Each structure stands twice: as structure tokens, then as C-alpha cells.
Amino acid sequence: MMRILMVCLGNICRSPLAEGILRHLAAQRQLNWEIDSAGTGNWHVGHAPDHRSIQVARLHGIDISGLRGRQFQAEDFDRFDRIYVMDLDNYRDVLRKSRTQADRDKVQLLLEHQQPVPDPWYDDALFEPVYQLIYNACERIVKG
Ligand code: 4NP
């Protein structure tokens, strides 16, 4: 049993995609994992994912339309084993809420080699490449 939290800034573009993709891949492998997402900001609490994220996920057979935004909170360090952040701003903002070294040890960038998942908010053309980056990272996670 693994508990994984995906974190971005708004919890409407990147981290809902990451949650939906990892849920999909974990279900395929019949992994009984707990998977969630959150944003470091509070602007989109209670909101559905961005329509462009919903669309790119749907194109690949994944429905994320039922997800709703929430803000990352310190208690998430207790509720999850691993916390994947999309970029270094997210990393800094999540670590700011950490209380112990054990909290900090749970946090890592989703991509390898310190690469960020770019924020697609201002560029429609980024949603498909962002989907691919996140998908490949999630495959790596389920393969262990
Ligand atoms: P996300 O993208 O962090 O991938 O959800 C963003 C969504 C909203 C905003 C910024 C980034 N915003 O400024 O409202």
C-alpha cells in the first residue's frame, strides 16, 4: 500500500493530470494505492481541472473531470508516503510547510534530473507534451 500526493501551483493543470494518470496506471496493475493531488496556492480550491487538462486526458482515455482543487497543507505530510512536486517553486512552497526531516524526505520532483514539468497555464500547446512528461514519470513510479 503506497500513498502518493501530486502537487503543483494551482491544482488544476498539472497535478490533476498526474493524479489521473497514476490512478489509471495503478488500477491497470491492480495496485491498491491511495493517490491524490493538491496545489500550493488557494485560488482554485473546489474547482474542476482546467478544460485543457480534462481534454488532453480524455484524448488518452482518462477521465479527470470529477477531480476538485484543494490546497496543500502540513497534515498531508502525515497522510502520504511520497509527495511529488512539478517544479522548484512547488518544492520550496511545500518544504516551507514541513515540520521535520522526515517530512522533507518525502518530497521530490516528479521528473528525473531536476527537470521541472513546465506550467502550461499560458500556453495551450504545452498540454500534450506535459501529458507525455507526466505519463512517462508515472510509468516509472508504478514500475518501481
Ligand atoms: P497548475 O497551473 O499549477 O499546473 O495547476 C496553474 C493553474 C493556475 C494558475 C497557475 C498555474 N494560476 O495562476 O491561477
Side-chain angles (χ1 to χ4, degrees):
M1 174 64 183
M2 183 79 81
R3 306 171 300 166
I4 295 183
L5 182 66
M6 299 293 193
V7 175
C8 65
L9 175 59
N11 194 209
I12 54 168
C13 295
R14 291 165 292 176
S15 61
L17 275 177
E19 177 183 348
I21 291 167
L22 189 60
R23 280 182 184 279
H24 176 79
L25 293 175
Q28 271 184 351
R29 288 166 179 260
Q30 296 175 318
L31 298 170
N32 183 29
W33 287 3
E34 191 175 316
I35 299 159
D36 196 6
S37 64
T40 56
N42 65 1
W43 313 284
H44 299 287
V45 171
H47 295 185
D50 186 282
H51 65 95
R52 297 163 296 179
S53 283
I54 293 176
Q55 185 182 28
V56 74
R58 187 191 295 127
L59 208 60
H60 294 280
I62 298 176
D63 179 14
I64 62 167
S65 63
L67 302 182
R68 292 296 177 265
R70 74 171 180 89
Q71 189 172 23
F72 179 82
Q73 50 188 11
E75 292 70 39
D76 287 316
F77 288 112
D78 303 321
R79 291 182 48 213
F80 295 94
D81 305 308
R82 290 192 206 163
I83 298 169
Y84 287 104
V85 296
M86 302 297 134
D87 62 37
L88 286 173
D89 285 341
N90 308 150
Y91 190 82
R92 177 200 62 201
D93 292 337
V94 165
L95 282 208
R96 191 178 288 131
K97 292 189 172 157
S98 68
R99 305 147 304 180
T100 64
Q101 187 59 42
D103 286 354
R104 292 185 275 283
D105 289 343
K106 294 182 175 186
V107 187
Q108 58 186 302
L109 284 166
L110 178 64
L111 302 188
E112 294 178 299
H113 312 302
Q114 301 292 101
Q115 282 295 114
V117 178
D119 186 345
W121 177 252
Y122 294 105
D123 187 350
D124 296 352
L126 278 180
F127 280 82
E128 177 64 29
V130 158
Y131 178 93
Q132 296 297 337
L133 285 171
I134 293 173
Y135 188 92
N136 290 337
C138 288
E139 274 207 314
R140 182 165 45 77
I141 292 169
V142 294
K143 285 175 180 169

